[in-house]
Amino acid sequence: MLKDITIGQFFPGDSAVHKMDARFKLCMTLLFIVMLFMGKHLYSLIFGIVFCVLALVLSKIPFRLIWKSIRVLLPILAVTAVLDIFLIDGGDTVFKWHFIEITSDGVKTALLMVIRILVLLAGTSLLTYTTSPIALTDAIERLLNPLKKIHVPVHAFAMMMTIALRFIPTLLEETDKIMTAQKARGASFSEGNLLQRARSLVPILVPLFVSAFRRAEELATAMECRCYRGDVGRTKMRQLKAAGRDYAAMAVTLILFGTALVVKIIF
Amino acid sequence: MKIRIQAEDLSFHYTDEEDNAISPEILKDLSLTLEAGSFVAVLGANGCGKSTFAKHMNGILIPTGGKMLIGEMDTADERYAYDIRQHVGMVFQNPDNQIVATIVEEDVAFGSENLGVPPEEIRQRVDDALKAVDMYAYRMHAPSQLSGGQKQRVAIAGIIAMRPSCIVLDEPTAMLDPKGRQEIMKTIRMLNQEYGITIVLITHYMEEAVQADRVIVMGDGNVLLDDVPEEVFSHVEEMKQAGLDVPQVTELVYELQKSGVQLDSRIITEEACTKALLELFA
């Protein structure tokens, strides 16, 4: 059951998007997000959509997968859209019945918001779908490298992220085991009211935390045995090298971004 | 590089910040020399100090009395800390708790990366190490997709990539199934014979200890027996007193001797035992 949870899921492949330098992908994703939220006009959304569709096609990730990540958020999206439609006033009145009034501005805002979020989800999930967690952590570490000058522990954060990702499956497996063990002793996790259910989690969390701390202690010793001393004198096996395709993709993104900016200024 | 490991009157207890002892003496004037290229098994009941001794060999613990020398380097000298850890690699019981990265080859590279080896050479070392433990085909897998024995071999590969002269394995097979145990023992023997790496194997399994060139039995923070396996296991009474078993074959020979059958007490392998028994009946 718990094994179905996938955080930052990665689907290996060798499309152009998969092969791209993770640093570029990360920067482009950030530009993409800014691009989406920049304009208040429908026109300015077009550039974000173009970017998203281009990336999707190039990545060869089946649309079904993207849909899976979007589907979960549809109910929330629907509720916010309805609230937007009814609560935002302005522009022409489209529909009026007693105190309920729907205005053109309300409809517009709702529509914009829904498209924005859908495109945002599709575009950003593409980043984790096409980039291995380790490449992503690596990219973050290198992009934030300048911050080391002002004593931000960039390497330590990247290391923590790697270890956290590494132990997600291990701890999920352990949780499953503990739950089975507690069930065998008559514990029930699906009965009673909310408070009772929350309380029934305590016998799972306590052993889980104890074991996590024990693991941390052992892992620390093992890391020390392998000469770990932070990033002092450390090299990396995987070298990130930007290729022609990265610069080309970045150029396209920047053009889209620039045009979106111009459109925002004009309208 | 050939490096001899030498413990001179080693004693150890845990201390608090003010150097007050907060545990009884765990090691008591222990003296030992481990020759380069040998395969040594260390046996002992729980709490006899064998894991504590192992942690002294790469300077994770510093002796409170006596000296631990790795070649010419004293573990108490902080300048040598990383050289010593590079020379003496360590593999622990739980393979899950010693794998750092989310991809097999990244984890194998971890140690060499810490040592500051140039990237191209790390690549070479990682490939060599993975081939040596027969895990090359799994280099892009996530550790969670592997079996216990495979994970433990990845952990060993991570140590080999650091090019150590000695590997200390602290009960590496305790959490594995019989198949995983065999894989690890095969890997360990190969590393000793083909790469000439000194192996120190701490174990609870007598069948594993039999495969070593030398068996050291520890009890109460010191060495009780120290000899070739044939000699050590012939001391059945002493082994039992130390809270240990002997291999099944030795047990059989011992029981037969007690009931008056003439047999050589140095028999520790099944083949030797079958042969001796067949001769008896012939």
Side-chain angles (χ1 to χ4, degrees):
Chain A
M1 165 193 81
L2 285 167
K3 277 185 185 144
D4 297 334
I5 300 175
T6 44
I7 298 168
Q9 206 170 15
F10 166 55
F11 296 97
D14 54 22
S15 71
V17 181
H18 280 90
K19 282 189 206 140
M20 269 178 63
D21 189 323
R23 286 172 300 180
F24 280 75
K25 276 195 265 189
L26 203 63
C27 289
M28 284 162 63
T29 309
L30 289 176
L31 281 175
F32 162 68
I33 296 171
V34 177
M35 202 153 43
L36 269 183
F37 285 89
M38 201 160 51
K40 287 195 176 67
H41 206 275
L42 261 177
Y43 295 141
S44 49
L45 271 184
I46 293 171
F47 303 97
I49 298 173
V50 169
F51 174 86
C52 183
V53 170
L54 260 178
L56 262 174
V57 171
L58 284 173
S59 71
K60 292 179 187 152
I61 292 275
F63 185 73
R64 177 175 54 82
L65 281 177
I66 306 282
W67 174 243
K68 239 171 96 184
S69 71
I70 293 175
R71 202 178 47 194
V72 207
L73 284 164
L74 280 184
I76 302 170
L77 217 54
V79 171
T80 16
V82 167
L83 286 178
D84 269 354
I85 289 177
F86 287 112
L87 296 179
I88 292 175
D89 288 332
D92 311 324
T93 304
V94 186
F95 176 85
K96 194 172 159 81
W97 182 73
H98 294 291
F99 60 93
I100 297 172
E101 193 180 356
I102 297 176
T103 62
S104 59
D105 274 9
V107 175
K108 209 179 107 187
T109 319
L111 198 66
L112 265 172
M113 197 268 308
V114 170
I115 297 176
R116 229 175 231 161
I117 303 291
L118 285 179
V119 177
L120 178 77
L121 279 175
T124 45
S125 50
L126 207 58
L127 177 71
T128 54
Y129 283 170
T130 61
T131 320
S132 75
I134 202 120
L136 207 56
T137 339
D138 232 23
I140 294 172
E141 184 179 352
R142 279 172 220 226
L143 285 174
L144 296 182
N145 226 3
L147 291 183
K148 276 183 191 165
K149 290 217 176 71
I150 54 166
H151 302 293
V152 179
V154 176
H155 170 77
F157 281 125
M159 197 64 197
M160 283 190 249
M161 214 163 123
T162 309
I163 293 173
L165 284 169
R166 151 75 184 83
F167 277 90
I168 288 173
T170 314
L171 291 179
L172 281 179
E173 202 177 297
E174 183 135 39
T175 315
D176 251 354
K177 264 191 214 160
I178 296 172
M179 279 176 87
T180 316
Q182 304 290 31
K183 272 185 201 155
R185 294 166 197 181
S188 161
F189 304 115
S190 50
E191 277 166 34
N193 59 31
L194 207 62
L195 191 72
Q196 281 167 324
R197 280 200 212 183
R199 199 175 290 160
S200 71
L201 286 179
V202 174
I204 300 173
L205 290 180
V206 171
L208 190 66
F209 270 87
V210 171
S211 124
F213 282 118
R214 191 176 306 131
R215 281 180 195 282
E217 163 108 47
E218 276 183 39
L219 184 70
T221 314
M223 284 168 75
E224 256 186 75
C225 286
R226 288 164 78 183
C227 299
Y228 183 68
R229 52 195 135 165
D231 58 348
V232 185
R234 195 172 146 82
T235 49
K236 287 253 179 188
M237 173 172 76
R238 193 193 294 267
Q239 295 294 306
L240 293 176
K241 271 205 199 89
R245 91 166 70 77
D246 299 312
Y247 293 116
M250 196 51 149
V252 173
T253 315
L254 282 175
I255 291 170
L256 282 171
F257 187 83
T259 333
L261 202 66
V262 172
V263 168
K264 180 195 155 60
I265 294 165
I266 295 172
F267 291 94
Chain B
M1 203 197 301
K2 297 280 172 205
I3 275 189
R4 197 165 74 158
I5 296 173
Q6 211 171 351
E8 287 171 10
D9 301 322
L10 210 63
S11 57
F12 179 79
H13 52 252
Y14 284 97
T15 49
D16 60 11
E17 279 99 51
E18 278 105 43
D19 273 345
N20 302 313
I22 50 168
S23 77
E25 286 294 293
I26 301 171
L27 298 177
K28 297 168 186 167
D29 294 329
L30 182 122
S31 292
L32 255 180
T33 305
L34 304 175
E35 295 302 333
S38 57
F39 180 177
V40 183
V42 180
L43 297 172
N46 287 332
C48 71
K50 54 192 193 310
S51 289
T52 309
F53 176 62
K55 284 187 181 141
H56 276 81
M57 281 192 258
N58 66 351
I60 290 290
L61 294 178
I62 306 295
T64 43
K67 251 189 199 169
M68 186 83 202
L69 292 171
I70 311 299
E72 298 295 311
M73 298 176 283
D74 188 335
T75 57
D77 192 336
E78 274 179 29
R79 282 175 301 163
Y80 297 132
Y82 294 103
D83 288 326
I84 287 171
R85 282 175 202 169
Q86 187 256 310
H87 276 298
V88 183
M90 215 158 158
V91 176
F92 297 91
Q93 192 182 84
N94 189 340
D96 263 327
N97 296 353
Q98 45 187 325
I99 293 178
V100 184
T102 44
I103 298 173
V104 166
E105 63 167 23
E106 288 285 338
D107 186 73
V108 176
F110 182 73
S112 313
E113 287 179 339
N114 290 336
L115 292 171
V117 177
E120 310 79 51
E121 202 193 324
I122 300 182
R123 181 80 259 173
Q124 188 60 44
R125 285 183 179 200
V126 167
D127 289 349
D128 289 349
L130 280 171
K131 281 175 190 156
V133 298
D134 202 16
M135 285 296 289
Y136 188 68
Y138 296 90
R139 65 189 180 283
M140 294 308 283
H141 280 56
S144 54
Q145 296 171 296
L146 305 177
S147 74
Q150 288 174 326
K151 276 187 245 186
Q152 198 63 292
R153 279 189 283 157
V154 169
I156 295 177
I159 301 296
I160 303 174
M162 292 167 73
R163 302 273 152 94
S165 41
C166 173
I167 301 180
V168 180
L169 302 106
D170 192 352
E171 299 188 34
T173 59
M175 297 184 76
L176 307 182
D177 55 11
K179 189 170 164 281
R181 279 217 294 275
Q182 273 178 10
E183 289 168 10
I184 296 302
M185 285 312 291
K186 202 178 129 219
T187 310
I188 292 175
R189 278 201 309 273
M190 187 275 301
L191 290 176
N192 179 244
Q193 283 157 13
E194 283 172 34
Y195 290 66
I197 297 174
T198 314
I199 300 286
V200 180
L201 173 68
I202 297 173
T203 183
H204 272 301
Y205 294 101
M206 303 304 141
E207 279 67 28
E208 291 174 2
V210 165
Q211 301 178 23
D213 312 328
R214 177 178 168 192
V215 174
I216 293 168
V217 179
M218 282 182 67
D220 198 22
N222 218 324
V223 175
L224 292 182
L225 295 167
D226 177 3
D227 214 324
V228 292
E230 287 83 356
E231 280 300 329
V232 167
F233 289 123
S234 65
H235 296 84
V236 178
E237 290 295 330
E238 281 169 85
M239 291 291 283
K240 297 217 159 167
Q241 260 173 19
L244 293 168
D245 273 332
V246 291
Q248 281 177 334
V249 181
T250 320
E251 178 99 46
L252 176 70
V253 171
Y254 174 70
E255 291 297 334
L256 284 171
Q257 277 176 333
K258 268 213 306 206
S259 34
V261 183
Q262 289 290 319
L263 274 172
D264 183 2
S265 56
R266 292 168 41 111
I267 292 172
I268 55 167
T269 61
E270 283 173 31
E271 295 83 55
C273 182
T274 331
K275 211 176 132 213
L277 286 178
L278 281 174
E279 272 168 19
L280 264 183
F281 290 119

